[in-house]
Amino acid sequence: MSKETGKRGRPVVAGSARQTRLDARAQRAAQGLSTGRGRPASQTSARQAKLAAKAAKIAAGIEIKRGAPKKMATAEPVSA
């Protein structure tokens, strides 16, 4: 029993719109640029400012505390 070797699947059309789009994306990725996937972030938004401040603190070596602060226990327990 012999096996034939050859290409399987749908053939690639070299000049198609999809192939040109994929080639352009590969070139942008090779240059280190954005690949254009997803919605771009607005650099002027409050969230991006908060993320930039957090990244600056991490770069400066400042400790980043996670979560909400601990609740302080009351001196007297509440009786029902």
Side-chain angles (χ1 to χ4, degrees):
M1 186 171 176
S2 65
K3 286 190 172 183
E4 291 184 30
T5 59
K7 291 187 176 183
R8 297 179 60 182
R10 188 172 178 167
V12 175
V13 179
S16 68
R18 180 174 189 276
Q19 290 301 315
T20 55
R21 193 169 58 243
L22 289 175
D23 291 340
R25 181 170 180 257
Q27 287 177 357
R28 284 193 307 270
Q31 294 173 358
L33 300 174
S34 172
T35 56
R37 295 190 64 170
R39 182 177 176 176
S42 173
Q43 296 302 322
T44 59
S45 69
R47 174 164 171 76
Q48 290 301 316
K50 188 165 70 169
L51 290 175
K54 183 178 177 183
K57 285 182 181 180
I58 291 171
I62 299 173
E63 180 183 0
I64 304 290
K65 294 184 179 178
R66 293 173 43 180
K70 290 183 178 180
K71 291 185 178 181
M72 299 301 291
T74 57
E76 298 177 20
V78 178
S79 59

Coordinates of all heavy atoms in Angstrom, one line a residue:
M1 N 0.8 -1.2 0.0 CA 0.0 0.0 0.0 C 0.9 1.2 0.0 O 1.7 1.4 0.9 CB -0.9 0.0 1.2 CG -1.9 1.0 1.3 SD -3.0 0.7 2.7 CE -3.9 2.1 2.7
S2 N 0.8 2.1 -1.0 CA 1.6 3.3 -1.1 C 0.7 4.5 -0.8 O -0.4 4.6 -1.1 CB 2.2 3.4 -2.4 OG 1.3 3.5 -3.4
K3 N 1.4 5.5 -0.2 CA 0.7 6.8 0.0 C 1.2 7.8 -1.0 O 2.3 7.9 -1.3 CB 1.0 7.3 1.5 CG 0.3 6.5 2.5 CD 0.5 7.2 3.9 CE -0.3 6.6 4.9 NZ -0.2 7.3 6.2
E4 N 0.2 8.6 -1.4 CA 0.6 9.7 -2.3 C 0.8 10.9 -1.4 O 0.1 11.2 -0.5 CB -0.5 10.0 -3.3 CG -0.7 8.9 -4.3 CD -1.8 9.3 -5.3 OE1 -1.9 10.5 -5.6 OE2 -2.4 8.4 -5.9
T5 N 1.9 11.6 -1.7 CA 2.1 12.9 -1.0 C 1.7 14.0 -1.9 O 1.9 14.0 -3.1 CB 3.6 13.0 -0.6 OG1 4.4 13.0 -1.8 CG2 4.0 11.9 0.3
G6 N 1.2 15.1 -1.3 CA 0.8 16.2 -2.0 C 0.1 17.2 -1.1 O -0.1 17.0 0.1
K7 N -0.3 18.3 -1.6 CA -1.0 19.4 -0.8 C -2.4 18.9 -0.6 O -3.1 18.3 -1.4 CB -1.0 20.7 -1.6 CG 0.4 21.3 -1.7 CD 0.3 22.7 -2.3 CE 1.6 23.4 -2.3 NZ 1.6 24.7 -2.9
R8 N -2.8 19.2 0.6 CA -4.2 18.9 1.0 C -4.9 20.2 1.4 O -4.3 21.2 1.7 CB -4.2 18.0 2.2 CG -3.6 16.6 1.9 CD -3.6 15.8 3.2 NE -4.9 15.6 3.6 CZ -5.3 14.9 4.7 NH1 -4.3 14.4 5.5 NH2 -6.5 14.7 5.0
G9 N -6.2 20.2 1.3 CA -7.0 21.4 1.7 C -7.2 22.4 0.5 O -6.8 22.1 -0.6
R10 N -7.7 23.5 0.9 CA -8.0 24.5 -0.1 C -6.8 25.2 -0.5 O -6.0 25.6 0.3 CB -9.0 25.5 0.5 CG -9.6 26.5 -0.4 CD -10.7 27.3 0.3 NE -11.2 28.3 -0.7 CZ -12.3 29.0 -0.5 NH1 -13.0 28.8 0.6 NH2 -12.7 29.8 -1.4
P11 N -6.6 25.5 -1.8 CA -5.4 26.1 -2.3 C -5.4 27.6 -1.9 O -6.5 28.2 -1.8 CB -5.5 26.0 -3.8 CG -6.9 25.7 -4.1 CD -7.5 25.1 -2.9
V12 N -4.2 28.2 -1.8 CA -4.1 29.6 -1.5 C -4.0 30.4 -2.8 O -3.2 30.1 -3.6 CB -2.8 29.8 -0.6 CG1 -2.5 31.3 -0.4 CG2 -2.9 29.1 0.7
V13 N -4.8 31.5 -2.9 CA -4.8 32.4 -4.0 C -3.9 33.5 -3.6 O -4.1 34.3 -2.7 CB -6.2 32.9 -4.4 CG1 -6.1 33.8 -5.5 CG2 -7.1 31.7 -4.7
A14 N -2.8 33.7 -4.3 CA -1.7 34.6 -3.9 C -2.2 36.1 -4.0 O -1.8 36.8 -3.1 CB -0.5 34.4 -4.9
G15 N -3.0 36.5 -4.9 CA -3.3 37.9 -5.0 C -4.7 38.2 -4.3 O -5.2 39.3 -4.6
S16 N -5.2 37.4 -3.5 CA -6.5 37.6 -2.9 C -6.4 38.7 -1.9 O -5.3 39.0 -1.3 CB -7.1 36.4 -2.3 OG -6.3 36.0 -1.1
A17 N -7.6 39.3 -1.6 CA -7.6 40.4 -0.6 C -7.2 39.9 0.8 O -6.5 40.6 1.5 CB -9.0 41.0 -0.5
R18 N -7.6 38.7 1.1 CA -7.2 38.1 2.4 C -5.7 37.9 2.6 O -5.1 38.2 3.6 CB -7.9 36.8 2.7 CG -7.6 36.2 4.0 CD -8.4 34.9 4.2 NE -8.3 34.4 5.6 CZ -7.3 33.7 6.0 NH1 -6.4 33.2 5.2 NH2 -7.2 33.3 7.3
Q19 N -5.1 37.4 1.5 CA -3.6 37.2 1.5 C -2.9 38.5 1.6 O -1.9 38.6 2.4 CB -3.2 36.4 0.3 CG -3.6 35.0 0.3 CD -3.1 34.2 1.5 OE1 -2.0 34.3 1.9 NE2 -4.0 33.5 2.2
T20 N -3.3 39.6 0.9 CA -2.7 40.9 1.1 C -2.8 41.4 2.5 O -1.9 42.0 3.0 CB -3.2 41.9 0.0 OG1 -4.6 42.0 0.1 CG2 -2.8 41.4 -1.4
R21 N -4.0 41.2 3.1 CA -4.3 41.7 4.4 C -3.4 40.9 5.4 O -2.8 41.5 6.3 CB -5.7 41.5 4.8 CG -6.2 42.2 6.0 CD -7.7 42.1 6.1 NE -8.3 40.8 6.1 CZ -9.1 40.3 5.2 NH1 -9.5 41.0 4.2 NH2 -9.5 39.0 5.3
L22 N -3.2 39.6 5.2 CA -2.4 38.8 6.1 C -0.9 39.2 5.9 O -0.2 39.3 6.9 CB -2.6 37.3 5.8 CG -3.9 36.7 6.2 CD1 -4.0 35.3 5.8 CD2 -4.1 36.8 7.7
D23 N -0.5 39.5 4.7 CA 0.9 39.9 4.5 C 1.2 41.3 5.1 O 2.3 41.4 5.7 CB 1.2 40.0 3.0 CG 1.2 38.6 2.3 OD1 1.4 37.6 3.0 OD2 1.1 38.5 1.1
A24 N 0.2 42.2 5.0 CA 0.4 43.5 5.6 C 0.5 43.4 7.1 O 1.3 44.0 7.8 CB -0.7 44.4 5.2
R25 N -0.3 42.5 7.7 CA -0.3 42.3 9.2 C 1.0 41.7 9.6 O 1.6 42.1 10.6 CB -1.5 41.4 9.6 CG -1.6 41.2 11.0 CD -2.9 40.5 11.4 NE -2.9 40.3 12.8 CZ -2.6 39.1 13.4 NH1 -2.4 38.0 12.7 NH2 -2.6 39.0 14.7
A26 N 1.5 40.7 8.8 CA 2.8 40.1 9.2 C 3.9 41.1 9.1 O 4.9 41.1 9.9 CB 3.1 38.9 8.2
Q27 N 3.9 42.0 8.1 CA 5.0 43.0 8.0 C 4.9 44.0 9.2 O 5.9 44.4 9.8 CB 4.8 43.8 6.7 CG 5.2 43.0 5.5 CD 5.0 43.8 4.2 OE1 4.4 44.9 4.2 NE2 5.3 43.2 3.1
R28 N 3.7 44.4 9.6 CA 3.6 45.3 10.8 C 4.1 44.6 12.1 O 4.7 45.2 12.9 CB 2.1 45.7 11.0 CG 1.7 46.8 10.0 CD 0.4 47.4 10.4 NE -0.7 46.5 10.7 CZ -1.6 46.0 9.8 NH1 -1.5 46.4 8.6 NH2 -2.5 45.1 10.2
A29 N 3.8 43.3 12.2 CA 4.2 42.6 13.4 C 5.7 42.4 13.4 O 6.4 42.5 14.4 CB 3.6 41.2 13.4
A30 N 6.3 42.2 12.2 CA 7.8 42.1 12.1 C 8.5 43.4 12.5 O 9.6 43.4 13.0 CB 8.2 41.7 10.7
Q31 N 7.8 44.5 12.2 CA 8.4 45.9 12.5 C 8.1 46.2 14.0 O 8.6 47.3 14.4 CB 7.8 46.9 11.6 CG 8.2 46.8 10.2 CD 7.5 47.7 9.3 OE1 6.7 48.5 9.7 NE2 7.8 47.7 8.0
G32 N 7.3 45.4 14.7 CA 7.0 45.7 16.1 C 5.8 46.7 16.2 O 5.6 47.3 17.3
L33 N 5.1 46.9 15.1 CA 4.0 47.9 15.2 C 2.7 47.1 15.6 O 2.7 45.9 15.7 CB 3.8 48.5 13.8 CG 4.9 49.3 13.3 CD1 4.7 49.8 11.9 CD2 5.2 50.5 14.2
S34 N 1.6 47.8 15.7 CA 0.3 47.2 16.1 C -0.2 46.4 14.9 O -0.1 46.7 13.8 CB -0.7 48.3 16.4 OG -2.0 47.8 16.6
T35 N -0.8 45.3 15.3 CA -1.3 44.4 14.3 C -2.8 44.7 14.0 O -3.4 44.1 13.1 CB -1.2 42.9 14.7 OG1 -1.8 42.7 16.0 CG2 0.3 42.5 14.8
G36 N -3.3 45.6 14.7 CA -4.7 46.1 14.4 C -5.8 45.2 14.8 O -6.9 45.2 14.2
R37 N -5.6 44.4 15.8 CA -6.6 43.5 16.3 C -7.3 44.1 17.5 O -6.6 44.6 18.4 CB -6.1 42.1 16.6 CG -5.5 41.4 15.4 CD -5.2 40.0 15.7 NE -6.4 39.3 16.1 CZ -6.4 38.0 16.2 NH1 -5.4 37.3 16.1 NH2 -7.5 37.4 16.5
G38 N -8.6 44.1 17.5 CA -9.3 44.7 18.6 C -9.5 46.2 18.6 O -9.0 46.9 17.7
R39 N -10.3 46.7 19.5 CA -10.5 48.1 19.6 C -9.3 48.8 20.2 O -8.9 48.5 21.2 CB -11.8 48.4 20.4 CG -12.2 49.8 20.5 CD -13.5 50.0 21.2 NE -13.8 51.4 21.4 CZ -14.9 51.8 21.9 NH1 -15.8 50.9 22.4 NH2 -15.2 53.1 22.0
P40 N -8.8 49.9 19.5 CA -7.7 50.6 20.1 C -8.1 51.4 21.3 O -9.2 51.9 21.5 CB -7.3 51.6 19.0 CG -8.5 51.7 18.1 CD -9.3 50.5 18.2
A41 N -7.1 51.4 22.3 CA -7.4 52.1 23.5 C -7.2 53.6 23.3 O -6.2 54.0 22.6 CB -6.4 51.6 24.6
S42 N -8.0 54.4 24.0 CA -7.9 55.9 23.9 C -6.8 56.3 25.0 O -7.0 56.0 26.2 CB -9.2 56.5 24.3 OG -9.0 57.9 24.4
Q43 N -5.7 56.9 24.5 CA -4.6 57.2 25.4 C -5.0 58.3 26.4 O -4.3 58.6 27.4 CB -3.4 57.6 24.6 CG -2.8 56.4 23.8 CD -2.5 55.2 24.7 OE1 -2.0 55.3 25.8 NE2 -2.8 54.0 24.1
T44 N -6.1 59.0 26.2 CA -6.5 60.1 27.0 C -7.6 59.7 28.1 O -8.0 60.5 28.8 CB -7.1 61.3 26.2 OG1 -8.2 60.8 25.4 CG2 -6.0 61.9 25.3
S45 N -7.9 58.4 28.1 CA -9.0 58.0 29.0 C -8.4 57.9 30.4 O -7.2 57.8 30.7 CB -9.5 56.6 28.6 OG -8.5 55.6 28.8
A46 N -9.3 57.9 31.4 CA -9.0 57.8 32.8 C -8.3 56.5 33.1 O -7.4 56.4 33.9 CB -10.2 58.1 33.7
R47 N -8.8 55.4 32.5 CA -8.2 54.1 32.8 C -6.8 54.0 32.3 O -5.9 53.5 33.0 CB -9.1 53.0 32.1 CG -8.5 51.6 32.2 CD -9.4 50.5 32.0 NE -8.8 49.3 31.9 CZ -8.4 48.5 32.9 NH1 -8.5 49.0 34.1 NH2 -7.8 47.4 32.7
Q48 N -6.5 54.6 31.1 CA -5.2 54.5 30.6 C -4.2 55.4 31.4 O -3.1 55.0 31.6 CB -5.1 55.0 29.1 CG -5.8 54.1 28.1 CD -5.2 52.7 28.1 OE1 -3.9 52.5 28.1 NE2 -6.0 51.7 28.2
A49 N -4.7 56.5 32.0 CA -3.9 57.3 32.9 C -3.6 56.5 34.2 O -2.5 56.5 34.7 CB -4.6 58.6 33.2
K50 N -4.6 55.8 34.7 CA -4.4 55.0 35.9 C -3.4 53.8 35.6 O -2.5 53.6 36.5 CB -5.7 54.4 36.4 CG -5.7 53.7 37.7 CD -7.1 53.5 38.3 CE -7.9 52.5 37.6 NZ -9.1 52.1 38.3
L51 N -3.5 53.2 34.5 CA -2.6 52.1 34.2 C -1.2 52.6 34.0 O -0.2 52.0 34.4 CB -3.1 51.4 32.9 CG -4.3 50.5 33.0 CD1 -4.7 50.0 31.7 CD2 -4.1 49.4 34.0
A52 N -1.0 53.8 33.4 CA 0.3 54.4 33.2 C 0.9 54.8 34.6 O 2.1 54.6 34.8 CB 0.2 55.6 32.3
A53 N 0.1 55.3 35.5 CA 0.6 55.6 36.8 C 1.0 54.3 37.6 O 2.1 54.3 38.2 CB -0.5 56.3 37.6
K54 N 0.3 53.3 37.4 CA 0.6 52.0 38.0 C 1.9 51.5 37.4 O 2.8 51.0 38.2 CB -0.5 51.0 37.8 CG -0.3 49.7 38.5 CD -1.5 48.7 38.3 CE -1.2 47.4 39.0 NZ -2.3 46.5 38.8
A55 N 2.1 51.5 36.1 CA 3.3 51.1 35.5 C 4.5 51.9 35.9 O 5.6 51.4 36.1 CB 3.2 51.1 34.0
A56 N 4.3 53.2 36.1 CA 5.4 54.1 36.6 C 5.8 53.7 38.0 O 7.0 53.7 38.4 CB 5.0 55.5 36.5
K57 N 4.8 53.3 38.9 CA 5.1 52.9 40.2 C 5.9 51.6 40.2 O 6.9 51.5 41.0 CB 3.9 52.8 41.1 CG 3.2 54.1 41.5 CD 2.0 53.8 42.3 CE 1.3 55.1 42.7 NZ 0.1 54.9 43.6
I58 N 5.5 50.7 39.4 CA 6.2 49.4 39.3 C 7.6 49.6 38.8 O 8.6 49.0 39.3 CB 5.4 48.4 38.4 CG1 4.1 48.0 39.0 CG2 6.3 47.2 38.1 CD1 3.2 47.3 38.2
A59 N 7.8 50.5 37.8 CA 9.2 50.8 37.3 C 10.0 51.5 38.4 O 11.2 51.2 38.4 CB 9.0 51.7 36.1
A60 N 9.4 52.3 39.2 CA 10.2 52.9 40.3 C 10.5 52.0 41.5 O 11.2 52.4 42.4 CB 9.4 54.2 40.7
G61 N 9.8 50.9 41.5 CA 10.1 49.9 42.6 C 9.2 50.2 43.8 O 9.4 49.6 44.9
I62 N 8.1 50.9 43.6 CA 7.2 51.2 44.7 C 6.2 50.0 44.8 O 5.8 49.4 43.8 CB 6.4 52.5 44.5 CG1 7.3 53.7 44.4 CG2 5.3 52.7 45.5 CD1 6.7 54.9 43.9
E63 N 5.9 49.6 46.1 CA 5.1 48.4 46.3 C 3.6 48.7 45.9 O 3.1 49.8 46.3 CB 5.1 48.0 47.8 CG 4.3 46.8 48.1 CD 4.3 46.5 49.6 OE1 4.9 47.2 50.4 OE2 3.6 45.5 49.9
I64 N 3.0 47.8 45.2 CA 1.7 48.0 44.8 C 0.8 47.1 45.6 O 1.0 45.9 45.6 CB 1.5 47.6 43.3 CG1 2.4 48.4 42.4 CG2 0.0 47.8 42.9 CD1 2.1 49.9 42.3
K65 N -0.1 47.7 46.4 CA -1.0 46.9 47.2 C -2.2 46.5 46.4 O -2.8 47.4 45.7 CB -1.4 47.7 48.5 CG -0.2 47.9 49.4 CD -0.6 48.6 50.6 CE 0.6 48.8 51.5 NZ 0.2 49.5 52.8
R66 N -2.7 45.3 46.5 CA -3.8 44.8 45.8 C -5.1 44.8 46.6 O -5.0 44.5 47.8 CB -3.5 43.4 45.2 CG -2.4 43.4 44.2 CD -2.0 42.1 43.8 NE -3.2 41.2 43.5 CZ -3.1 39.9 43.2 NH1 -1.9 39.4 43.0 NH2 -4.1 39.2 43.0
G67 N -6.2 45.0 46.0 CA -7.5 44.8 46.7 C -7.9 46.0 47.5 O -7.2 47.1 47.6
A68 N -9.0 45.8 48.3 CA -9.5 46.9 49.2 C -8.7 46.8 50.5 O -8.2 45.8 50.9 CB -11.0 46.7 49.4
P69 N -8.6 48.0 51.2 CA -8.0 48.0 52.5 C -8.7 47.1 53.5 O -9.9 46.9 53.4 CB -7.9 49.4 52.9 CG -8.9 50.1 52.0 CD -9.1 49.3 50.8
K70 N -8.0 46.6 54.5 CA -8.6 45.8 55.5 C -9.6 46.6 56.3 O -9.4 47.8 56.6 CB -7.6 45.1 56.4 CG -6.7 44.1 55.8 CD -5.8 43.5 56.8 CE -5.0 42.4 56.2 NZ -4.0 41.8 57.2
K71 N -10.7 45.9 56.7 CA -11.7 46.6 57.6 C -11.2 46.5 59.0 O -10.6 45.5 59.5 CB -13.0 45.9 57.5 CG -13.7 46.1 56.2 CD -15.1 45.5 56.2 CE -15.8 45.7 54.8 NZ -17.1 45.1 54.8
M72 N -11.3 47.6 59.7 CA -10.9 47.7 61.1 C -12.0 47.1 62.0 O -13.2 47.4 61.8 CB -10.6 49.1 61.5 CG -9.5 49.8 60.7 SD -7.9 49.0 60.8 CE -7.5 49.3 62.5
A73 N -11.6 46.2 62.9 CA -12.6 45.6 63.8 C -13.0 46.6 64.8 O -12.2 47.4 65.3 CB -11.9 44.3 64.4
T74 N -14.3 46.6 65.2 CA -14.8 47.5 66.2 C -14.3 47.0 67.6 O -14.2 45.8 67.8 CB -16.3 47.6 66.1 OG1 -16.9 46.3 66.3 CG2 -16.7 48.2 64.8
A75 N -14.2 47.9 68.5 CA -13.8 47.5 69.9 C -14.8 46.7 70.6 O -14.5 45.7 71.3 CB -13.4 48.7 70.7
E76 N -16.1 47.0 70.4 CA -17.1 46.2 71.1 C -17.9 45.5 70.1 O -18.4 46.0 69.0 CB -18.1 47.2 71.8 CG -17.4 48.0 72.9 CD -18.3 49.0 73.6 OE1 -19.6 48.8 73.4 OE2 -17.9 49.9 74.2
P77 N -18.1 44.2 70.3 CA -19.0 43.4 69.3 C -20.4 43.8 69.4 O -20.9 44.2 70.5 CB -18.8 41.9 69.8 CG -18.3 42.0 71.2 CD -17.6 43.3 71.4
V78 N -21.1 43.8 68.3 CA -22.5 44.2 68.2 C -23.3 43.0 68.7 O -23.2 41.9 68.3 CB -22.9 44.5 66.8 CG1 -24.3 44.9 66.7 CG2 -22.0 45.7 66.3
S79 N -24.2 43.3 69.7 CA -25.1 42.2 70.3 C -26.5 42.4 69.7 O -27.0 43.5 69.6 CB -25.1 42.3 71.8 OG -25.5 43.5 72.2
A80 N -27.1 41.3 69.4 CA -28.4 41.3 68.8 C -29.5 41.2 69.8 O -29.4 40.7 70.9 CB -28.5 40.3 67.8

